[in-house]
Amino acid sequence: MAVLVTNGVEKMKLGQVQSNDVSTKEMKAPTSTSEGEQADSEDEKDEDAAKKKKKRKPKKKKGASASANNKSQSSPPRIPVANLFPNRVYPEGEIVDYKDGNAYRTTNEEKRYLDRMNNDFLTEYREGAEVHRQVRQWARKSIKPGQTLTEIAEGIENGVRALTGHQGLEEGDNIKGGMGFPTGLSINNCAAHYTPNAGNKMILEHSDVLKVDFGVHLNGRIVDSAFTMTFDPIYDNLLASVKDATNTGVREAGIDVRMSDIGAAIQEVMESYEVEISGQSLPVKCIRNLNGHDIGQYRIHGGKSVPIVKGGDQTKMEEGEIFAIETFGSTGKGYVRDDLEISHYAKRPDAPNASLRLSSAKSLLNTITKNFGTLPFCRRYLDRLGHEKYLLGLNSLVSSGIVESYPPLCDIKGSYTAQYEHTILLRPTVKEVVSRGDDY
C-alpha cells in the first residue's frame, strides 16, 4: 500500500512460509532371542548390545506440518490457519534488534514488560501474516500467463477468506477478519490501485510485469505486503532493484529514525540499477509521488508517510507504530497519474454527516458501514453482497465526501513498474518484519 502525494496532499494507496516440522514416530521391533540354552550363557552387556543393534531407527513421517494435528495447507488454500495452529502460537516475523541509541531496548525490563502486554496484538498480526504467506505461496505457483485478472484476484481473495475463517457474506463478518483491502493487480506502466471490476476480460500476458498487492486483517490489524511477478528474465534487474530498495527501507526503519533519511537510503539503492529492454539500457527510477505509510487499526493509512526519495519529511518513527515499507521502481518518468477505470473505494474516517438525497446512496452507505467500516473495498465486493445498480449511489457518496475513490496510478505508456512491500512492527524491544517469508 502506498501514499500518493500530489501537490503536497497525501492520498492513500489501497492497493516464511509455515515451516514444516517433521513429526517422528519411534517404533520398536521385537528383539530376537538367542538360540536355545545359549541365551542363559550370554552376559548382560552382550544382551543389551544385541537389543540396541536390532532396534529400528525412527521413521520420518512425510508431509507433516508445524501444527499439532499434523495438517498441512491444501491447494488452493482452504484450511483456516487457526486449525493448523490450534494453540494460536503463530510464527514470528523477522526479528531485528534496534541499534545505536536504541540498543538498550532489547534487554530493558520496562520495555520487555510493555512488549508482553501486547500479546493479543502480536497474535492477530502474526496470524494475518501467516495467512498472507500461505496464500501468496500458492498464488506465486499458480499465477500463469493466459489467466484473467478476475480469476487471479478471486483466487487470492477466496484463499484469504478461507484461511482467516471469515467469508464476509454475513453482515459484519468482514469487519472481524478477511481482506484488508482489494487485491491489486497492476500491470506494466500501471503501478497501483488496479483490480478488475465486473466484466473485466483482461488476460495476463507472458510479457507483462504484474504487481500483486493484497492485505489481510484480523480485528482491523492489517498486514500489507506486495510482490512483483514476471515471466521474462529481461525484467530481472528491475525487480532486483525494487526488492533491494524495499529491504533497505526495512533495514533503515526504526524508532526515532527520520522519514527523510529512509527515503534517501532507498533512492540511493534503487537508482544504482539499470535494466536492458529491447537492446536499450534504461535507468530504474523511484516513483517519487508514491510512498510507504503507517497503518492504524482498520485504517490502511494512519497519517504518516515514508518517502522513497531524499528530502522532505523530518518526522520520526515512534515506538508502537506499524509501517508498510514499500518501494516502486519505474523505467518511465518515475511519476504516476490517475488513469483507467476506478475500482477502489474507502469510507473516510472523518466522513462528514452529509444529507443524502438518493435512497440508493443511503442504503449503500449502510452496507459499507456494516461490512467494511473504514477498510478499503472494491466494486466486486459490493457485487458479491448482492448490490445491483449502485454506481449512482456510490458516486453520490464520493461527491459528498463520505467515500473516497482511488483511481489506478500509472506512469507513461510503454514503461514498466515494479513493487515490493513489507509490514513492520516497531515493538518496544525489537523491530519485527511480520510479513517476511522465505520468498521475499
Side-chain angles (χ1 to χ4, degrees):
M1 311 278 75
V3 177
L4 172 67
V5 181
T6 309
N7 296 328
V9 179
E10 296 176 355
K11 290 187 73 178
M12 174 179 73
K13 173 195 171 286
L14 305 173
Q16 76 196 224
V17 179
Q18 168 188 342
S19 64
N20 289 335
D21 293 337
V22 180
S23 66
T24 60
K25 181 188 288 184
E26 191 172 283
M27 300 168 59
K28 292 186 179 179
T31 56
S32 56
T33 58
S34 340
E35 291 185 39
E37 293 109 21
Q38 290 180 359
D40 295 331
S41 64
E42 290 182 350
D43 61 28
E44 228 174 65
K45 190 178 292 185
D46 290 339
E47 193 174 334
D48 288 341
K51 287 180 180 180
K52 289 178 182 177
K53 185 176 181 180
K54 291 185 177 289
K55 186 184 290 185
R56 292 182 185 177
K57 292 181 179 179
K59 291 184 177 180
K60 293 184 178 181
K61 188 179 289 184
K62 294 181 180 179
S65 72
S67 61
N69 54 5
N70 290 332
K71 286 186 179 178
S72 58
Q73 190 51 261
S74 60
S75 180
R78 291 294 182 270
I79 303 174
V81 295
N83 292 359
L84 301 178
F85 297 87
N87 295 326
R88 298 200 72 204
V89 179
Y90 301 101
E92 292 181 336
E94 179 190 9
I95 302 298
V96 183
D97 291 337
Y98 293 120
K99 55 185 181 181
D100 302 329
N102 281 307
Y104 77 96
R105 292 175 169 274
T106 305
T107 56
N108 182 271
E109 284 303 319
E110 180 184 352
K111 299 301 181 184
R112 287 162 67 90
Y113 172 77
L114 290 172
D115 214 14
R116 289 193 296 271
M117 295 293 287
N118 285 331
N119 189 56
D120 290 345
F121 160 86
L122 288 173
T123 297
E124 288 167 346
Y125 255 111
R126 289 170 181 167
E127 182 178 358
E130 184 63 19
V131 170
H132 200 288
R133 280 189 291 270
Q134 293 193 17
V135 171
R136 78 186 189 226
Q137 178 189 32
W138 170 81
R140 288 166 71 87
K141 291 177 181 177
S142 66
I143 294 174
K144 298 288 188 297
Q147 290 181 297
T148 65
L149 295 193
T150 300
E151 182 183 358
I152 296 169
E154 290 181 348
I156 290 171
E157 291 162 359
N158 289 340
V160 169
R161 293 180 182 122
L163 269 60
T164 57
H166 296 283
Q167 289 296 327
L169 291 173
E170 295 181 7
E171 189 176 278
D173 190 42
N174 192 66
I175 296 288
K176 299 174 183 177
M179 294 300 299
F181 53 87
T183 302
L185 298 173
S186 305
I187 289 178
N188 298 336
N189 67 306
C190 186
H193 292 185
Y194 189 90
T195 199
N197 287 323
N200 186 299
K201 303 297 184 185
M202 188 178 294
I203 294 175
L204 180 65
E205 304 288 346
H206 185 271
S207 59
D208 287 338
V209 178
L210 174 68
K211 278 72 65 185
V212 182
D213 187 356
F214 68 97
V216 177
H217 93 92
L218 287 153
N219 192 30
R221 309 298 185 185
I222 306 170
V223 176
D224 182 0
S225 189
F227 57 94
T228 300
M229 292 188 68
T230 61
F231 310 94
D232 190 324
I234 65 170
Y235 305 114
D236 286 356
N237 249 23
L238 174 61
L239 271 61
S241 69
V242 181
K243 185 186 290 187
D244 194 358
T246 296
N247 285 331
T248 298
V250 168
R251 184 177 64 250
E252 295 297 319
I255 296 171
D256 297 331
V257 176
R258 296 185 187 277
M259 306 296 185
S260 56
D261 294 340
I262 299 172
I266 288 171
Q267 184 175 20
E268 181 179 2
V269 168
M270 188 185 298
E271 297 189 351
S272 67
Y273 285 78
E274 289 185 343
V275 57
E276 186 172 322
I277 299 176
S278 301
Q280 186 178 5
S281 184
L282 302 169
V284 179
K285 299 177 183 177
C286 293
I287 300 181
R288 59 187 180 276
N289 60 330
L290 285 180
N291 293 346
H293 53 91
D294 66 336
I295 302 173
Q297 190 172 16
Y298 292 107
R299 295 183 64 180
I300 189 60
H301 180 213
K304 289 184 176 181
S305 296
V306 186
I308 63 173
V309 292
K310 62 183 178 182
D313 199 350
Q314 298 296 305
T315 304
K316 292 182 178 181
M317 292 182 166
E318 298 177 49
E319 178 184 312
E321 291 182 323
I322 300 99
F323 284 91
I325 304 295
E326 62 182 324
T327 70
F328 295 83
S330 176
T331 62
K333 296 289 186 182
Y335 191 90
V336 292
R337 293 178 172 82
D338 296 352
D339 197 2
L340 305 176
E341 184 180 46
I342 298 172
S343 57
H344 286 60
Y345 300 84
K347 182 182 176 184
R348 296 172 60 96
D350 58 349
N353 189 18
S355 177
L356 298 172
R357 296 180 180 180
L358 293 175
S359 59
S360 61
K362 294 177 183 178
S363 172
L364 184 59
L365 178 58
N366 184 55
T367 296
I368 292 169
T369 301
K370 290 183 176 180
N371 290 280
F372 306 110
T374 54
L375 291 170
F377 61 93
C378 64
R379 294 188 196 178
R380 283 185 294 104
Y381 294 3
L382 298 176
D383 299 334
R384 189 170 179 266
L385 291 172
H387 269 274
E388 298 177 346
K389 300 179 180 179
Y390 53 75
L391 275 181
L392 186 62
L394 184 56
N395 289 334
S396 174
L397 293 175
V398 172
S399 62
S400 300
I402 297 172
V403 169
E404 188 154 0
S405 62
Y406 299 91
L409 302 170
C410 304
D411 204 331
I412 58 172
K413 289 183 178 180
S415 63
Y416 296 93
T417 61
Q419 173 197 17
Y420 279 91
E421 177 179 22
H422 275 300
T423 296
I424 65 170
L425 315 177
L426 298 184
R427 293 166 49 188
T429 55
V430 292
K431 172 172 62 181
E432 182 170 350
V433 189
V434 71
S435 56
R436 182 72 81 190
D438 293 336
D439 47 358
Y440 67 90

